[in-house]
Every structure is written in C-alpha cells, then in structure tokens.
C-alpha cells in the first residue's frame, strides 16, 4: 500500500506532465481500439450476407474461396442432396457481380446481384420475405437502401439498368457494407438467370436445412460420401469462419489492420517507457535514499510498476470514451459494423496492462544505478 501511495504522489506531483503523458498514451490506446474495431467490423462485413439466411449446411464448388469470387457448380448436386436421409429442404442462392446504372445520371456502379428461391423459411430478413411477391415479376429487384449514393434514386417503382437490362425497383432491404461492390440487389432466380445470362443449371450456393439439428454433422458426413469431389459441404458456422478467416488472414485489408494493432501497441509501449524513464532518472537520488533506508529493490520496483499502471489506467478511460464516439461516427459514414463490445473493451484493457508491464520492466533497469554511496 505504501508503494502505491508513493506511486500516486510521483504520478501527480507534476500535473501538467502527467496530463500530457496520459494524452499521448490515450491516443495510442485509441489507435488500438480503432484497428481492432476495423478488423472485427471487416470480419462481420465479410460474412454478413450469410446471416440473412437460415440454413444448417451448404454446398459450394470445390474451388470456392470466398463470397467475393463465387464459383458455380451443377444444380444436380443439390438435387442429389435431397435424397440423403435427414435433409428437410434445399434452397438455391446465387451471387454474381454486375453493373448498376442510374438511368437518370448515367453513372455506372459495381454491385452484387443475388438470386433466391421463393422459400420464406430460408430467409431471415423480413423485408426480403415481404418482397418475394414483387421479385417474382419480370426484371424486378429489391435494392439495398444502404447502397452507395451513385446508385441514385432507389425509390420503389424507379427504373434502372443491371448489365444493360432495364429493371424495376420493387422494394428495399438493409444489408450494408460490402468490400467488393457498392451495394446489393435481390431478385428471383428466374430473373437472376435472365439478367446475368447465367446457365440456370449452374448455381453458387446450395443451402440445406435438416430435419433434426442434432443430426447436422451426421447428414454432413453422408453428403460428403454421396456427392462427387467437385463440391464440398460445410455447416453454417464452418462457412462463416472460413469466410472471415480468408478475409482477415489472406486479403491485404485484414493484414494491414493486424499490423496496425501491433504498431499502435508498440507506440504505447515507447511513450510509456519514455515517461517512466525520464521520471526515474530525475528521482535516482530518492530511490538511492530508499535503498539506504533498507527498502528492497522489489519495493522500489513496485513503485515504478504502480506508476505505469496508474498512467495506463488513466489513459484507458478517455480512450474508451473516444472509441465509443468514433465507432458510431464510422458506422454512420460507412455502414461498417464496428461494435464496441464488452469483449473488445476487456481485450484492449488487457493489452493496456501488458503495455504498462513491459514499459515498467524496461524503464526500471535504471533503478539499479541508484547507489546509496553516491549520497555521501
């Protein structure tokens, strides 16, 4: 307790210096929050589409890598799946890149077009379910209301073009950010093949529901046995993890965010080390006096560790507050799903505490120079 009291007094002896130090450390912690926020937001955005559908298993082409580069396989594979015991129903989900043209401005924008079956039990979004009758009409689509402003006026009833074919907006839904296009449109699979000129015998995803959730893995193994090697079968969680892992570990964006976390952390360590090192250098005689009075090195070290923990804790609080504000601003401007969850806040707190520990261990090496003999 006495060492913590000394650490407190040392920390607040010079309020201006402490305030400046806390500001610098807070900025580095805020950078950590931002990089982790972008990283987690990117993970959610990369697999966000899958959360709009209810399914237990999915069939994809064996060459499938991620949502941004869909690979088609023969629809007969999905039909074969219906003969496997335990399979309740199947659903065709098609995804293709396309170009959206606002006929009023002439601006062309990259998009992703989804083709779906009229089966509400597979669709989790109520707006898409309500729009199923509309997209059964020829060349009618639902448009993501969070699409880029270059899409122009996306009011219901407006006309636009997808890859040169005129379409009518029959409704809206809300999906949000996508890294490989500026927005989404949803239509029936019959319209999808007409708009994309794709072969209706080829599909992108085959979603499967099973009779009993307890038998998902059993059905999955049976599908793997019966289906040819040109397709693979994943369960829902496996597909989502695979998508997120690919985006975060392979794509440059995820790698950059990870490096950003490391750099921000090292900046915090350096700032805190410089502050502690300077403070210890000015107090070497005081530490030498404590040694002369019989206090152990561990007691003196605990003072420095206490100072580091105090500064780190004081810096974490404003960084947390600013992070909450910045997360909301980023979401409003970009629709990137950045969420300041309790888990994220706790993880950054642990990083902050380790930051203070590393900095104090390095800086306290100077305490060894505090020689009581130099006092006389």
């Amino acid at each position: 307790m006495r060492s913590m009291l000394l650490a407190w007094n040392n920390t607040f002896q010079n309020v201006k210096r402490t305030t400046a130090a806390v500001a610098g450390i807070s900025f580095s912690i805020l950078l950590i929050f931002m990089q982790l926020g972008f990283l987690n937001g990117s993970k959610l955005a990369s697999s966000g589409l899958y959360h709009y559908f209810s399914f237990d298993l999915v069939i994809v082409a064996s060459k499938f890598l991620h949502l941004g580069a869909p690979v088609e396989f023969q629809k007969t594979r999905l039909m074969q799946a219906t003969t496997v015991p335990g399979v309740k129903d199947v659903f065709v989900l098609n995804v293709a890149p396309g170009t959206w043209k606002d006929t009023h401005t002439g601006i062309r924008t990259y998009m992703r077009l989804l083709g779906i079956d009229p089966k509400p039990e597979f669709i989790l979004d109520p707006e898409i379910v309500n729009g199923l009758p509309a997209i059964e009409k020829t060349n009618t689509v639902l448009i993501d209301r969070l699409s880029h402003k270059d899409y122009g006026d996306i009011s219901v009833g407006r006309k636009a073009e997808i890859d040169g074919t005129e379409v009518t907006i029959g409704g809206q839904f809300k999906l949000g950010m996508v890294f490989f296009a500026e927005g989404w449109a949803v239509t029936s699979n019959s319209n999808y093949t007409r708009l994309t000129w794709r072969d209706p015998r080829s599909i992108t995803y085959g979603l499967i529901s099973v009779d009993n959730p307890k038998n998902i893995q059993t059905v999955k193994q049976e599908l793997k046995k019966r289906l040819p090697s040109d397709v693979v079968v994943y369960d829902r969680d496996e597909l989502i993890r695979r998508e997120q892992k690919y985006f975060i570990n392979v794509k440059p964006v995820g790698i950059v965010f990870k490096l950003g976390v490391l750099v921000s952390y090292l900046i915090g360590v350096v700032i805190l080390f410089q502050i502690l090192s300077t403070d210890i250098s000015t107090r070497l005689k005081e530490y030498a006096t404590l040694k002369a009075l019989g206090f152990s090195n561990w007691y003196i070290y605990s003072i420095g560790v206490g100072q580091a923990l105090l500064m780190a804790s004081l810096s974490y609080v404003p960084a947390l507050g600013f992070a909450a504000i910045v997360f909301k601003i980023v979401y409003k401007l970009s629709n990137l799903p950045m969420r300041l969850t309790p888990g994220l806040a706790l993880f950054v707190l642990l990083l902050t505490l380790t930051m203070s520990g590393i900095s104090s261990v390095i800086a306290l090496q100077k305490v060894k120079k505090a020689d009581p003999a130099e006092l006389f």
Side-chain angles (χ1 to χ4, degrees), residues 36-73:
L36 288 174
F38 283 128
L39 187 65
N40 292 336
S42 299
K43 289 174 64 177
L44 293 173
S46 67
S47 61
L49 176 65
Y50 303 135
H51 297 284
Y52 277 64
F53 297 94
S54 174
F55 61 96
D56 301 307
L57 299 168
V58 59
I59 299 175
V60 295
S62 58
K63 295 181 180 180
F64 170 81
L65 289 178
H66 63 100
L67 178 61
V71 180
E72 296 179 337
F73 63 95

Side-chain angles (χ1 to χ4, degrees), residues 105-307:
T105 63
I107 297 176
R108 298 178 183 272
T109 311
Y110 290 112
M111 63 169 297
R112 280 293 186 273
L113 179 65
L114 304 178
I116 60 175
D117 285 340
K119 296 181 178 181
E121 61 273 19
F122 278 90
I123 304 170
L124 296 175
D125 184 70
E127 290 186 302
I128 297 179
V129 172
N130 293 335
L132 287 177
I135 60 177
E136 286 300 314
K137 299 176 183 178
T138 302
N139 294 351
T140 301
V141 301
L142 306 179
I143 191 73
D144 182 6
R145 66 169 57 89
L146 297 180
S147 297
H148 194 274
K149 62 181 180 180
D150 286 346
Y151 274 55
D153 187 354
I154 55 174
S155 303
V156 176
R158 299 282 291 186
K159 303 289 185 179
E161 289 184 8
I162 294 179
D163 292 339
T165 301
E166 185 178 78
V167 297
T168 302
I169 299 176
Q172 296 181 345
F173 66 103
K174 182 181 178 181
L175 180 53
M177 185 169 184
V178 54
F179 291 102
F180 27 78
E182 302 294 343
W184 301 91
V186 175
T187 191
S188 64
N189 275 316
S190 58
N191 280 327
Y192 172 88
T193 56
R194 188 162 38 245
L195 293 171
T196 61
W197 297 91
R198 301 291 178 110
D199 187 342
R201 294 171 297 181
S202 297
I203 62 176
T204 312
Y205 294 90
L207 307 186
I208 299 172
S209 63
V210 300
D211 290 328
N212 187 345
K214 294 181 180 179
N215 296 331
I216 290 176
Q217 295 304 318
T218 301
V219 175
K220 176 184 173 182
Q221 294 304 319
E222 188 63 27
L223 285 169
K224 286 184 174 182
K225 291 179 182 178
R226 297 196 183 191
L227 296 178
S229 59
D230 60 341
V231 295
V232 291
V233 183
Y234 298 116
D235 60 51
R236 180 188 181 87
D237 292 339
E238 191 177 8
L239 176 67
I240 292 174
R241 287 195 305 269
R242 191 178 188 279
E243 190 78 36
Q244 293 179 347
K245 182 178 179 180
Y246 180 86
F247 191 86
I248 297 303
N249 295 334
V250 179
K251 301 294 283 184
V253 175
I255 296 172
V256 168
F257 289 152
K258 286 184 176 181
L259 288 176
V261 173
L262 177 61
V263 171
S264 301
Y265 182 83
L266 293 177
I267 289 174
V269 171
V270 170
I271 293 175
L272 190 50
F273 164 74
Q274 291 290 349
I275 294 165
L276 291 174
S277 180
T278 301
D279 185 79
I280 291 172
S281 296
T282 59
R283 299 179 187 278
L284 281 179
K285 289 186 177 181
E286 297 175 20
Y287 289 128
T289 301
L290 289 175
K291 284 186 177 181
L293 292 174
F295 288 95
S296 66
N297 284 334
W298 289 112
Y299 177 84
I300 297 173
Y301 290 158
S302 67
I303 298 173
V305 173
Q307 281 185 254

Side-chain angles (χ1 to χ4, degrees), residues 8-29 271-272 275 279 307 310-319 322:
W8 179 275
N9 290 332
N10 287 349
T11 302
F12 291 99
Q13 186 178 33
N14 190 326
V15 177
K16 289 184 179 180
R17 183 178 64 186
T18 299
T19 302
V22 167
I25 301 168
S26 294
F27 182 71
S28 68
I29 298 173
I271 293 175
L272 190 50
I275 294 165
D279 185 79
Q307 281 185 254
L310 280 171
M311 286 190 179
S313 301
L314 289 171
S315 303
Y316 175 81
V317 175
F322 279 115

